[in-house]
Amino acid sequence: MALKRPALEATISNALSALVVGGAAGAVVVIALIPMIAGLIRDGLAARLTPTMTSVASIAIGVGATVFLITQLPIFLIWLERKIAAHIQDRLGPMRVGWHGVLQSFADGLKLLFKEDIIVDGADKFLFKLAPFLTIMGAFAAFAVLPWGEGLVISNLNIGLLYAIAITSLGAIGILMAGWASNNKYALYGGMRSAAQMVSYEIPTAIVILSVVVQVGSLNLSDVIAAQQGGVGGVTNWFIFRLYGLNVIGFILFFICGLAETNRNPFDIPEAESELVAGFHTEYSGMRFAFFFLAEYGAMFFVAALTAVLFLGGWSGPFFSGPLVLFVKTLALVFVQMWLRWTLPRLRVDQLMALCWKYLIPISFVVLIAAAIDGVVGS
Amino acid sequence: MSTQTQYKDLEPDETYAFKPEDLEEGEMILNMGPQHPSTHGVLRIELKTDGEVVNDARPHIGYLHRNFEKHAENIDYQGVIPFTDRMDYVGSMANSLSYAVAVEKLMGIELNERVECIRVIVSELQRIASHLLAIGTYGLDIGAFTPFLHSFVEREKILDLFEWLCGARLLYNYNWVGGVSHDLPEGWTGRAKVFLDQFSPVIEELDELLSHNKIFTARTATVGIIPPELAVGYALTGPNLRGSGIKWDIRKEDPYCGYEKYDFDVPVGQGRYGPIGSCWDRYYVRVDEMRQSVRILRQALDQLPAEGDVHESVPKRVKPKPGEAYGRTEAPRGELGFYVISDGSLIPMRVKGRSPCFVAMSIFHEIAKGEMLADMIAIIGSLDIVLGEIDR
Amino acid sequence: MSLDAAAVQAKIEAKFPGKIPSAELEVVDPFLFVEVDAIVDVCTYLRDDPELAFDMLHCHSAVDYLPPKNPEEARLEVVLHLTSLKHRHWIVIKVKLPRANATMPTLENVWPTANWHEREAFDLFGIQFEGHSDFRHLLLPDDWPGFPLLKDWVWPEEWHGIAVKPTAKMAERAQQGEQIGIGPFD
């Protein structure tokens, strides 16, 4: 059957959209069934391989699955953000490429991939090339300790929270490096602002995390979730409902700091497009720019997931537990992040610092001290 | 005077107002623009920064200069109107109105009431459209993206009305010397009333969304303070002057087109969240002015005389006697005046456009000193400049 | 209390005798000529006198008069439109300058808004303002040839390789008295 070109394009587009939507639906099913699949794979491997080889192979499979997830996730999140922004702003957003524009991010990614890789003349070439990799590494390496279910964690580190704090800070170095290496005043401003902001906001973040650690008695993320299981309806043991409601404050603090750590509005001053053009990635184009973009969405998802793990019970849910529960909780938090971005104006750099040092840090200490006293009295 | 026809080649450094050798320790020259997302056009601002703090600022304008005044000296009186449209390209109705008022003053043309009323209607609609753009982009400057698009939706409806009226959406060539180009189409006033009914709640909605937001007031209510004396000394007009608490509106002081017949208030800056004359005051005067414009529009649409030829007073040939006149109107951005000198021929001898944005921009270096980098954007946005009018 | 142009003229005459060589009071916008050597004093008086209180210089224009028939009238004029926000009256002050080496003292210290207006007048007319604090080009490039709003300015053929001379079609037709059509009347 000979199709005319527009019809052919429409057919291809429809087929691809169906593939993506179907794939997404399939992914949800797969995520829901991950514990079973993982169990089957583990049993199958254990029957055929030595124990060492089994653990190596299961880590490899876990890494592969996570890498697949975190590389595909930002593409989905970018589309989601554009649609949410559009509907908040009384418009439709991407509608042309595929069903409701689901293929738009793929098209954009393809475009970025084929774009000329420009390195400005005055740039420090080595650092300029290194910076995006550091940033994306910091954002994605953190996923290694994120538990998706009972035993479903790539690396069950006993200092998982410490690792998460440490590795996400790598992003700040990448951004600072990008700002410096670009040899552009706006990029430099963006880099310096970002460094100041991230270093400042790490403090309340760490203190809030510490308050949870005090309540759990472990730095292991799986232990954190284990401590939140049970209770009425599987909900009341979540940390957000404990410590006489003080953990609600901790939760809000952690969420605010998460926004600042990932440079999201209203704390997006490192890339404040109205004053700094594009901030630290002013001079980047093509795939290097895409790396910053992917890192931002990856970090966003990780921070939301960490919030869910610390305060909302992680993968343990009221009716059933598993990766899907964590996924839903995380997406809900990501939605709030996007909602805030398209509603609030941006703070100024001094107000941002004042908010952190004058309000967030003292309040976070209050939560920490309360948690410590509660722990002492309780024992 | 000799007219030199040679130019010399300049080094790029020679175009800087600040010289590198004058910088203090830790200072840096930062060029904001000419290509920058928030300078509202092709504006270059040279900033002497010390970290995030701006120690001094010098605007460089002229990137859009096309010497409209020279054009005007080479074309007949009616032919100048399209050029005036292109000065403030988001408030074209007000520009051509101001020029028409100046030439009518020069020629002593009296208009019938219907023309005057139509002019009031279109210029108030234009004021709303222009203020919507101003507050929308101001939100964008501060980092709030959403109000921008919501205000554009409303602006679009006004542009639709204008398109129905005269076929153009941006540059109308609508106000002529002695009249307007087209009479109101049948059903237009009804549609305009429907728009007003629908628009009044939207002002309150925008107000809730942006004006009283804590972050927004923190960003704007304490920066860019223009004390009243400074505002008068720099001859600011329009919302910028009224933001400093001075009640001065050409529609009240020097009424044209029968503005004295309408009942409306002149909003001034109240200093609600900080000192009077801040960016927030200037912003909020614009929000209040939209409410007043709606009031004027309701009265004008009700009073519109049914009879009257809009071309009744249009002269067949615009040829004023030798003389001069300065006509001024309250354009959305302030007092827009045209100083027209005739030597008795068909072509104006001199047309000087007194641009409110040009004057507003000249105060920038005074209020920018000591503020932070992000405040530059807040100040530029609150002055509501249009580069097409600054550079003419 | 609002004053009309005649009253303003009388007040200036009383304070600065002989500094107003001529005045037009019977036209649409009455104006007074002021001698260039007294302009700063007169303007300061206009601003500071409580009955005059012209606190706003709301328009500052330069005009080039080069009548082809009587060349002895050739001159440059600087026109100041002054408004008093306090008394709500206004007046037009004019200063005559020779076309060759036109120079006048700056009014920047009287009304700060004169700063940019004077730079614009220098850009387009070549009028020098003595004592100006920041006398640079404003609208035109720093190396633009000549002062375009002078009536005898000639177009350069090119500027940094850019062809800038317009094709003289519409202007010539208008000069010959043809009405250039802009609407349904034509």
Side-chain angles (χ1 to χ4, degrees):
Chain A
M1 188 179 68
L3 281 171
K4 288 209 174 80
R5 219 168 147 255
L8 185 67
E9 278 173 8
T11 314
I12 293 171
S13 162
N14 286 342
L16 283 174
S17 312
L19 205 65
V20 169
V21 175
V28 170
V29 174
V30 169
I31 290 169
L33 296 176
I34 273 178
M36 209 178 78
I37 299 168
L40 286 176
I41 291 174
R42 205 177 299 148
D43 294 347
L45 288 173
R48 286 168 181 77
L49 298 169
T50 60
T52 326
M53 288 298 286
T54 306
S55 66
V56 169
S58 53
I59 286 175
I61 290 169
V63 167
T66 314
V67 164
F68 179 77
L69 177 75
I70 60 186
T71 47
Q72 299 312 305
L73 204 61
I75 293 177
F76 166 69
L77 289 181
I78 289 166
W79 173 79
L80 189 69
E81 167 132 52
R82 292 179 66 173
K83 291 307 268 191
I84 288 173
H87 287 285
I88 286 176
Q89 291 165 354
D90 199 2
R91 58 192 174 91
L92 291 172
M95 288 296 283
R96 294 301 176 96
V97 195
W99 177 81
H100 281 253
V102 284
L103 297 175
Q104 184 68 50
S105 297
F106 291 98
D108 289 346
L110 207 62
K111 179 200 75 178
L112 287 172
L113 199 63
F114 285 129
K115 268 179 101 166
E116 187 187 350
D117 179 28
I118 299 169
I119 299 178
V120 284
D121 268 353
D124 184 327
K125 295 205 172 46
F126 176 69
L127 294 182
F128 189 84
K129 288 176 186 167
L130 183 63
F133 295 108
L134 272 186
T135 311
I136 203 164
M137 211 169 86
F140 287 157
F143 280 88
V145 291
L146 193 68
W148 285 94
E150 184 75 55
L152 273 178
V153 52
I154 298 174
S155 174
N156 199 6
L157 274 183
N158 55 355
I159 48 160
L161 274 167
L162 195 63
Y163 168 84
I165 299 172
I167 204 80
T168 46
S169 310
L170 210 58
I173 299 176
I175 287 173
L176 187 58
M177 202 179 266
W180 173 257
S182 298
N183 195 14
N184 174 315
K185 287 173 183 171
Y186 287 108
L188 184 62
Y189 266 109
M192 299 310 281
R193 281 179 175 193
S194 173
Q197 174 183 341
M198 284 182 161
V199 168
S200 306
Y201 276 81
E202 298 248 304
I203 298 168
T205 316
I207 293 170
V208 172
I209 290 180
L210 210 55
S211 76
V212 174
V213 169
V214 166
Q215 293 169 63
V216 180
S218 166
L219 281 163
N220 189 321
L221 280 163
S222 300
D223 291 350
V224 174
I225 295 172
Q228 299 181 69
Q229 277 164 343
V232 182
V235 170
T236 49
N237 260 1
W238 291 0
F239 275 126
I240 189 168
F241 299 120
R242 281 159 57 173
L243 200 63
Y244 321 111
L246 274 176
N247 269 342
V248 177
I249 301 172
F251 168 75
I252 294 168
L253 285 186
F254 192 76
F255 187 77
I256 292 173
C257 295
L259 287 178
E261 289 271 309
T262 49
N263 299 333
R264 296 284 299 178
N265 206 311
F267 308 108
D268 63 341
I269 58 157
E271 48 193 298
E273 79 279 347
S274 63
E275 57 227 45
L276 292 187
V277 190
F280 61 88
H281 57 66
T282 306
E283 297 290 356
Y284 282 88
S285 69
M287 217 44 212
R288 291 180 209 284
F289 165 73
F291 272 13
F292 281 119
F293 214 57
L294 295 181
E296 182 187 329
Y297 283 88
M300 223 170 108
F301 189 83
F302 178 74
V303 165
L306 197 61
T307 319
V309 166
L310 288 178
F311 292 100
L312 302 176
W315 46 259
S316 68
F319 304 113
F320 60 97
S321 299
L324 196 61
V325 175
L326 180 62
F327 200 72
V328 169
K329 285 174 185 170
T330 308
L331 274 188
L333 288 171
V334 166
F335 171 74
V336 178
Q337 287 182 339
M338 290 175 176
W339 181 12
L340 286 178
R341 169 164 181 193
W342 298 107
T343 310
L344 293 178
R346 179 185 307 117
L347 282 168
R348 203 170 57 205
V349 63
D350 57 327
Q351 293 165 344
L352 183 91
M353 289 296 160
L355 177 70
C356 176
W357 292 95
K358 282 158 97 174
Y359 301 101
L360 297 188
I361 291 181
I363 297 172
S364 64
F365 268 114
V366 170
V367 176
L368 174 61
I369 291 166
I373 291 173
D374 185 60
V376 171
V377 173
S379 68
Chain B
M1 190 174 296
S2 69
T3 310
Q4 74 184 84
T5 48
Q6 278 303 310
Y7 56 85
K8 57 182 191 297
D9 280 314
L10 287 170
E11 293 296 317
D13 284 358
E14 287 183 62
T15 63
Y16 281 73
F18 303 129
K19 303 294 173 200
E21 56 268 22
D22 299 337
L23 293 183
E24 308 271 324
E25 178 81 32
E27 283 185 340
M28 177 168 90
I29 295 175
L30 181 70
N31 257 318
M32 191 175 264
Q35 278 85 32
H36 190 280
S38 303
T39 49
H40 292 232
V42 204
L43 169 69
R44 170 180 158 213
I45 300 172
E46 216 180 299
L47 300 171
K48 197 193 271 182
T49 57
D50 182 1
E52 288 277 343
V53 180
V54 173
N55 285 349
D56 210 348
R58 285 283 180 283
H60 291 256
I61 62 169
Y63 290 92
L64 281 179
H65 183 58
R66 56 264 187 220
N67 214 332
F68 141 76
E69 291 163 16
K70 190 79 179 172
H71 287 302
E73 288 174 16
N74 286 286
I75 199 161
D76 57 4
Y77 282 90
Q78 295 272 35
V80 175
I81 292 172
F83 288 103
T84 64
D85 274 350
R86 281 149 182 81
M87 282 172 64
D88 175 0
Y89 40 76
V90 294
S92 295
M93 283 290 186
N95 300 358
S96 50
L97 174 64
S98 186
Y99 175 76
V101 163
V103 178
E104 282 155 15
K105 189 174 171 188
L106 184 62
M107 295 178 75
I109 296 175
E110 295 288 326
L111 300 174
N112 63 37
E113 283 199 358
R114 186 172 167 87
V115 173
E116 287 195 333
C117 201
I118 291 174
R119 282 184 171 184
V120 168
I121 292 168
V122 295
S123 71
E124 290 307 315
L125 277 175
Q126 182 72 80
R127 193 184 314 281
I128 293 176
S130 170
H131 282 353
L132 277 173
L133 184 94
I135 61 178
T137 51
Y138 196 47
L140 198 61
D141 288 342
I142 304 299
F145 205 101
T146 300
F148 172 69
L149 284 143
H150 282 286
S151 58
F152 256 59
V153 169
E154 300 305 316
R155 181 171 177 263
E156 203 67 12
K157 290 171 187 160
I158 297 177
L159 297 193
D160 286 344
L161 282 175
F162 283 158
E163 188 181 7
W164 189 11
L165 179 59
C166 60
R169 292 175 65 81
L170 202 61
L171 305 164
Y172 312 104
N173 188 15
Y174 183 68
N175 291 298
W176 286 359
V177 175
V180 292
S181 72
H182 298 77
D183 201 349
L184 298 181
E186 208 168 306
W188 194 89
T189 48
R191 187 79 74 83
K193 280 177 186 163
V194 170
F195 166 75
L196 289 181
D197 290 340
Q198 169 268 329
F199 177 66
S200 305
V202 174
I203 302 179
E204 310 308 322
E205 219 174 283
L206 278 172
D207 206 22
E208 280 171 28
L209 183 61
L210 186 64
S211 305
H212 306 290
N213 182 301
K214 184 81 179 68
I215 299 176
F216 185 72
T217 54
R219 278 292 306 276
T220 54
T222 52
V223 303
I225 316 285
I226 306 180
E229 317 81 64
L230 196 67
V232 175
Y234 271 94
L236 292 190
T237 45
N240 295 333
L241 180 69
R242 292 193 281 277
S244 295
I246 295 170
K247 215 168 197 164
W248 180 263
D249 189 320
I250 308 290
R251 289 176 292 177
K252 292 274 192 199
E253 306 302 333
D254 188 7
Y256 54 95
C257 295
Y259 263 110
E260 64 275 11
K261 287 183 289 193
Y262 303 101
D263 174 33
F264 65 100
D265 299 327
V266 179
V268 292
Q270 308 284 341
R272 204 150 133 194
Y273 293 102
I276 281 193
S278 64
C279 292
W280 191 87
D281 280 341
R282 290 194 284 282
Y283 158 85
Y284 205 67
V285 163
R286 294 196 175 91
V287 177
D288 273 341
E289 269 184 22
M290 291 203 300
R291 297 190 176 112
Q292 297 304 326
S293 289
V294 171
R295 257 177 90 184
I296 298 173
L297 275 167
R298 285 193 197 283
Q299 295 169 41
L301 286 168
D302 287 341
Q303 290 175 14
L304 181 71
E307 293 301 312
D309 180 7
V310 291
H311 292 151
E312 188 183 318
S313 314
V314 178
K316 203 66 181 137
R317 170 158 284 202
V318 185
K319 194 175 178 184
K321 292 188 189 66
E324 57 178 65
Y326 179 82
R328 53 179 177 174
T329 61
E330 185 73 23
R333 285 169 180 76
E335 175 190 325
L336 180 64
F338 280 94
Y339 178 47
V340 184
I341 303 179
S342 160
D343 56 0
S345 71
L346 284 166
I347 296 167
M349 202 212 98
R350 172 93 168 97
V351 176
K352 156 87 184 183
R354 185 266 187 220
S355 139
C357 297
F358 178 84
V359 175
M361 203 58 218
S362 71
I363 202 175
F364 181 77
H365 69 279
E366 291 266 3
I367 52 177
K369 260 180 218 163
E371 305 279 13
M372 301 190 79
L373 189 60
D375 296 335
M376 296 299 108
I377 306 302
I379 293 171
I380 296 172
S382 77
L383 292 173
D384 188 21
I385 52 168
V386 168
L387 265 293
E389 194 182 71
I390 292 184
D391 293 343
R392 281 160 293 156
Chain C
M1 186 191 75
S2 293
L3 297 175
D4 62 359
V8 175
Q9 186 188 8
K11 276 189 78 86
I12 300 176
E13 283 283 7
K15 177 92 176 173
F16 303 96
K19 292 300 181 190
I20 300 185
S22 60
E24 281 289 351
L25 301 178
E26 302 304 315
V27 290
V28 187
D29 295 330
F31 55 85
L32 318 172
F33 278 103
V34 174
E35 292 287 353
V36 65
D37 53 353
I39 184 70
V40 177
D41 294 335
V42 171
C43 285
T44 314
Y45 173 68
L46 284 171
R47 183 194 64 181
D48 291 342
D49 186 83
E51 276 184 42
L52 298 167
F54 287 103
D55 41 14
M56 186 186 266
L57 166 66
H58 67 111
C59 186
H60 175 296
S61 338
V63 189
D64 182 22
Y65 286 92
L66 189 62
K69 283 171 194 150
N70 36 351
E72 68 277 4
E73 274 192 26
R75 65 187 187 274
L76 286 171
E77 276 180 11
V78 171
V79 185
L80 312 171
H81 288 79
L82 305 177
T83 300
S84 168
L85 300 192
K86 190 173 159 201
H87 300 303
R88 289 166 158 68
H89 54 214
W90 72 318
I91 188 74
V92 184
I93 302 286
K94 291 189 173 191
V95 183
K96 269 187 200 173
L97 298 170
R99 285 192 93 245
N101 298 324
T103 310
M104 75 174 274
T106 179
L107 297 175
E108 194 196 342
N109 300 323
V110 188
W111 297 287
T113 184
N115 186 323
W116 274 32
H117 284 298
E118 286 173 355
R119 283 171 69 185
E120 186 193 331
F122 165 66
D123 247 4
L124 304 176
F125 291 88
I127 302 172
Q128 298 283 336
F129 290 90
E130 285 170 346
H132 194 283
S133 63
D134 186 22
F135 207 55
R136 293 176 294 121
H137 278 272
L138 183 65
L139 291 169
L140 297 180
D142 289 354
D143 54 353
W144 184 258
F147 304 105
L149 278 186
L150 292 177
K151 296 278 181 192
D152 56 357
W153 182 72
V154 286
W155 280 94
E157 289 297 325
E158 54 101 31
W159 181 77
H160 290 294
I162 307 164
V164 290
K165 197 168 176 177
T167 49
K169 281 181 189 153
M170 197 178 263
E172 273 175 12
R173 276 163 56 206
Q175 291 280 3
Q176 285 154 9
E178 183 185 342
Q179 188 163 13
I180 306 295
I182 52 158
F185 280 161
D186 299 290

